[in-house]
Each structure stands twice: as C-alpha cells, then as structure tokens.
Amino acid sequence: MAKITKVVARQVFDSRGFPTIETEVFCRNISSKAICPSGASTGTYEAYEKRDKNNKKYLGKSVFKAVYFVNKIISKKILKKSVHNQELIDSILIKLDNTNQKTKLGANSILSVSMAVKKLSAKIKKIPLYKNFFIKKNFRLPFPLMNIINGGAHANNGLRIQEFMIRPDRAKTFSEAMNICYLVIQNLKKLIKDNNLSIAVGDEGGFAPMIKKNEEALNLIVKSIKKSGYMNGRDVSICLDVAANELYLKGKYSIHSNKYESVKNCISGYLKLIKKYKIKSIEDPFAENDWKAWSNFLKKVKNVQIVGDDLYVTNLQRLKKGFLNMSTNTILIKPNQIGTITETLEVIKFAQQIGFQTIISHRSGDSEDTFISDLAVGTNSTQIKTGSLCRSERVAKYNQLLRIEQYLPKKNNMAKLK
Ligand code: PGA
Ligand code: ZN
C-alpha cells in the first residue's frame, strides 16, 4: 500500500500576486504538489477561503493560518492512509472541518491537500493524471471557452458583462481549436490597436480596452471572427459570463446598461443579444437566489447553453434544486467552490446523469497548476474555461491539454457538444 508519509504546506502567490496555499504530499521520496486558485466574483454559497484577515504585512491576504492547519492538524490525520483512497482522505478532511462551508479549516487548505493526493496517486500508479478520474477509455478533449474580452470584476474598464468568450465549435481536434482561437485573438488585438484602444489585459488574459458598452465588445469580436475567415455562430460561437451577482440590486439588474432594470427587460435584452450576435452560451445571467428569473429565462431560449456558476457553486444540493427548478442545462465546475475532489466528482457525475453539460473552470486568481486540464479530460467534460491565450497561468492549462492530445487519436478527438 502506498501510504502517505509526509504533508507539507507553504504560502506561495497566485496570478494576481496574492498569497495562496500550496501543499505537497509525500509517499516516501515521491511527492506531488497542488496550488489552490482564488476567485474575485465569488458566490455567497461557495466554500470558505481562509485568509489571515488581520495580518498587516499582507494587507489581510496571507494564508499562514491555512498553512498551519495543513501542517499541524490535517497532516496528522491523513498520515499512513493510502494515497489511492481519495474518498477516505476527503471524508477525513470534511469531518475534521465539520462545517457547511468549510469555514473552520478553509476550503483552500482542504483543496490543496485533496488535489495533491489525487496527483500523487496517479504518479505512484505511473499513469497520467487524466486517467485517474472516472473515465477510463475513449478520452476526449474539451472545447476551450476563451475569455478574450474582460470586464466586470476582472477589469476596470466599466464593461457590465464580466467575460466575452469564443468557442471554436467546428474544430475537429484540440490543436485546431487552439489555432482558431489564436487567429481570432490576434485579429482582435490588431482591431483594438487600430481603434486607438489599449491592448492591456485583465485578470484572465483577455483584453480590457476602455469600452463601456457590451455591444462595442461584441462588435469587435464579430469583426475579428470574420477577419480570421470564420463565420460567427457556426465555426466560432460567442459565449458570455454575465456574473450577474455583481450587477444585482433589490430585484433589478444593470446588465445591458448602467441603469437598473426589471428581470423582464433583462430577458428581452438577452434575447436581442442572442439573436443579433448568435450567442450560444450565457453563464450566470441572473443572481444566485433569483430562481424564478432563471427558469423564466430558460423557458424562453432555444439551443442556448445556460450555465450556472455562482448559482450552483459546484454544490450537489444547489444543483439538485436548480434541476428541479429548471434553471439551467449546464453547470460550471470549480473545485475550490466545494473544497474536495471527491465532492467535485460527485457533482460532475450527477450533472452528467441528468443530462447537463459540465464545464471545468479556472478562477480569476490562478497559478501554474494544471490540474483542471486533466480533470476536464478525465471526466469527459465537454468544455473548459481557462481564460485567454495569454498569461502563463492560463496558457499552462492549454499547453497541458496539447500534451494530453498527443496521446489520444490524432483525428476527431473533441468532446461532443450538445
Ligand atoms: P472568479 O470568476 O474566478 O473571479 O469567480 C470566474 C467566473 O465568474 O466564472
Ligand atoms: Zn462565472
């Protein structure tokens, strides 16, 4: 049995330069490490991220307490356990914390351990990480949802919608998908420059030009898709993450402009955008508790992917509620929203059983850790959301998928989009 012999955590930094936790788990002289990511537009129901709020040196952002918990409390409980028994280890972590939202130990300390254990188990079995999830054969690659214009909480340009993404729907292979996105991004860059706007990028690597209107961003994307020789809505689709929690006030939303408007008006605004720009996917169109707005909207759209992120927070109970409420047809999966890999996999499996598509996602504060690339392939998730083709923490995930692709069939290796 491959027993855990040592667990060591440390404070490192994420892509925004904020402290985060890395944990290294050992089986004698073999080890694997994992870094926890961190969100900016977080949902209320997400698992708790432990930070030393009163540490002046790091403006309250350090994670020394989380590091201490791993080194002094968690490590003792999982020493001598089999590294291959992920469920047992995760259940120990959950019990040790024993709160609904992992407020005692912090989901960041717990997840860094859980991910490192999963990686180490693969390493000891001498298999690639993507083969250490529940899909065992016929692996497929996820479609990238590349966030090419950043707004909302990820930029300071005043754009209402947080993420303007592209998805290369007709790509036959992952390399082809990357090539298509690359061309659109390079053409977009040129177009933004030609408009005398800045090509500086936001937290997820997408451009963050000083434009205020959603439609201006959409027009730029449509033009760059065309300039690259592709047809919008056929070869390449535009997808949005509204992150509407951030745009909500007392039953109204400021999505389509600075003005707050009713759900009814928001829906008609969305329907216009869907029609005009052939939008294929909208994430978090409404706030996390506005269940009625979600089901009203889902009823009115056809062939559009409606994605729950802050709505579900990778939480099985919330997913079940959303399913009964007919809120969405797709779920975004972020392991640090729930805190362990076992719980993450449970949510993915349930979502797939009820016919939802699963999209594996990074966080806006991320790192060189590429765990989610393998997770996407190993769970047959149809899509991955990991920012633009820019900033190493984003590109690292795409590069890992390119490595995986080399071991899969050379033709038609993409997941089947619904
Ligand atoms: P976050 O944003 O990581 O800042 O929460 C990503 C998202 O909303 O999908
Ligand atoms: Zn989101």
Side-chain angles (χ1 to χ4, degrees):
M1 194 168 81
K3 287 182 183 167
I4 294 175
T5 54
K6 194 164 76 171
V7 182
V8 188
R10 57 185 74 94
Q11 176 171 294
V12 295
F13 290 88
D14 73 14
S15 56
R16 277 193 277 253
F18 292 148
T20 187
I21 182 170
E22 175 177 83
T23 293
E24 190 162 2
V25 177
F26 290 77
C27 276
R28 274 182 247 110
N29 57 349
I30 307 172
S31 75
S32 287
K33 44 189 186 294
I35 303 179
C36 190
S38 172
S41 66
T42 49
T44 315
Y45 303 98
E46 284 192 27
Y48 184 75
E49 183 181 65
K50 191 98 176 149
R51 291 197 182 271
D52 313 320
K53 300 214 167 92
N54 50 14
N55 185 326
K56 288 206 181 78
K57 267 194 181 154
Y58 288 92
L59 310 171
K61 290 254 180 206
S62 56
V63 293
F64 294 124
K65 214 174 276 160
V67 168
Y68 173 86
F69 286 154
V70 173
N71 289 339
K72 298 290 175 209
I73 300 173
I74 294 176
S75 63
K76 280 192 199 122
K77 297 282 179 190
I78 66 168
L79 280 185
K80 300 204 180 81
K81 299 285 181 288
S82 164
V83 72
H84 303 308
N85 201 341
Q86 185 80 35
E87 284 174 19
L88 173 71
I89 290 167
D90 286 344
S91 74
I92 291 172
L93 299 174
I94 292 166
K95 269 200 214 113
L96 204 54
D97 176 84
N98 202 25
T99 66
N100 271 342
Q101 284 183 279
K102 301 195 174 63
T103 43
K104 192 168 149 203
L105 299 175
N108 44 347
S109 61
I110 293 174
L111 183 70
S112 65
V113 175
S114 187
M115 287 200 294
V117 166
K118 192 73 179 168
K119 285 187 185 178
L120 183 57
S121 152
K123 202 180 215 178
I124 288 175
K125 288 182 197 164
K126 296 197 168 72
I127 57 170
L129 180 58
Y130 70 90
K131 290 189 175 168
N132 205 23
F133 296 97
F134 58 80
I135 297 293
K136 298 295 175 202
K137 54 180 185 187
N138 301 332
F139 294 100
R140 303 214 150 248
L141 288 147
F143 279 87
L145 279 164
M146 285 208 190
N147 177 7
I148 63 173
I149 295 188
N150 291 190
H154 296 166
N156 63 352
N157 49 11
L159 262 179
R160 315 303 299 157
I161 292 178
Q162 180 179 281
E163 300 174 19
F164 296 82
M165 297 173 278
I166 49 166
R167 190 182 65 190
D169 286 359
R170 303 242 290 194
K172 295 271 183 291
T173 63
F174 191 74
S175 324
E176 190 193 348
M178 293 301 291
N179 184 214
I180 295 168
C181 292
Y182 166 82
L183 291 172
V184 176
I185 291 168
Q186 294 308 318
N187 278 309
L188 178 61
K189 188 176 190 174
K190 194 165 177 298
L191 209 62
I192 292 175
K193 260 193 199 162
D194 291 348
N195 281 285
N196 292 322
L197 291 162
S198 161
I199 48 158
V201 298
D203 287 353
E204 298 189 346
F207 300 113
M210 282 296 166
I211 48 176
K212 291 234 165 337
K213 286 195 182 140
N214 298 330
E215 296 219 5
E216 276 179 78
L218 289 164
N219 288 332
L220 284 170
I221 296 176
V222 168
K223 272 192 199 152
S224 23
I225 292 173
K226 204 167 170 191
K227 191 119 188 281
S228 311
Y230 300 114
M231 193 191 268
N232 176 31
R234 195 189 71 161
D235 309 308
V236 178
S237 292
I238 301 178
C239 305
L240 304 173
D241 179 5
V242 181
N245 269 355
E246 311 285 319
L247 306 172
Y248 177 79
L249 193 70
K250 294 182 188 152
K252 295 190 166 181
Y253 294 86
S254 62
I255 295 163
H256 302 296
S257 72
N258 292 340
K259 275 204 316 235
Y260 281 83
E261 50 182 11
S262 67
V263 168
K264 198 169 160 237
N265 288 349
C266 291
I267 291 183
S268 55
Y270 280 137
L271 296 176
K272 271 186 215 147
L273 289 184
I274 289 170
K275 198 165 170 213
K276 183 165 175 196
Y277 296 100
K278 303 185 172 66
I279 286 163
K280 288 284 171 61
S281 176
I282 305 185
E283 180 180 326
D284 284 348
F286 294 102
E288 62 199 1
N289 290 320
D290 202 355
W291 296 96
K292 216 165 157 229
W294 284 84
S295 54
N296 280 344
F297 186 41
L298 189 69
K299 268 184 232 138
K300 294 210 168 66
V301 296
K302 235 176 85 189
N303 300 327
V304 181
Q305 174 171 275
I306 305 296
V307 188
D309 169 17
D310 293 335
L311 180 72
Y312 296 137
V313 290
T314 317
N315 179 309
L316 192 57
Q317 300 320 316
R318 289 193 63 89
L319 173 59
K320 285 180 178 169
K321 187 169 175 182
F323 176 53
L324 294 174
N325 183 58
M326 297 207 281
S327 310
T328 76
N329 47 33
T330 302
I331 181 173
L332 200 80
I333 300 288
K334 292 169 168 169
N336 81 325
Q337 284 179 326
I338 189 68
T340 65
I341 294 308
T342 301
E343 290 164 289
T344 304
L345 296 175
E346 264 168 23
V347 173
I348 296 174
K349 278 186 198 160
F350 181 81
Q352 293 178 349
Q353 272 160 14
I354 59 174
F356 277 29
Q357 302 207 73
T358 50
I359 306 175
I360 307 296
S361 171
H362 64 166
R363 298 304 306 241
S364 52
D366 216 292
S367 74
E368 67 270 30
D369 195 305
T370 60
F371 187 94
I372 59 164
S373 307
D374 289 73
L375 178 65
V377 177
T379 57
N380 201 11
S381 291
T382 55
Q383 294 150 83
I384 188 166
K385 195 175 108 156
T386 187
S388 189
L389 194 47
C390 182
R391 294 185 65 131
S392 286
E393 76 280 4
R394 316 293 150 188
V395 176
K397 275 65 159 181
Y398 295 121
N399 286 345
Q400 174 66 1
L401 286 162
L402 287 167
R403 286 180 205 113
I404 295 173
E405 184 180 44
Q406 272 201 316
Y407 296 96
L408 301 186
K410 301 280 167 284
K411 287 184 194 165
N412 296 322
N413 57 31
M414 298 300 278
K416 300 255 172 301
L417 281 174
K418 281 195 181 163

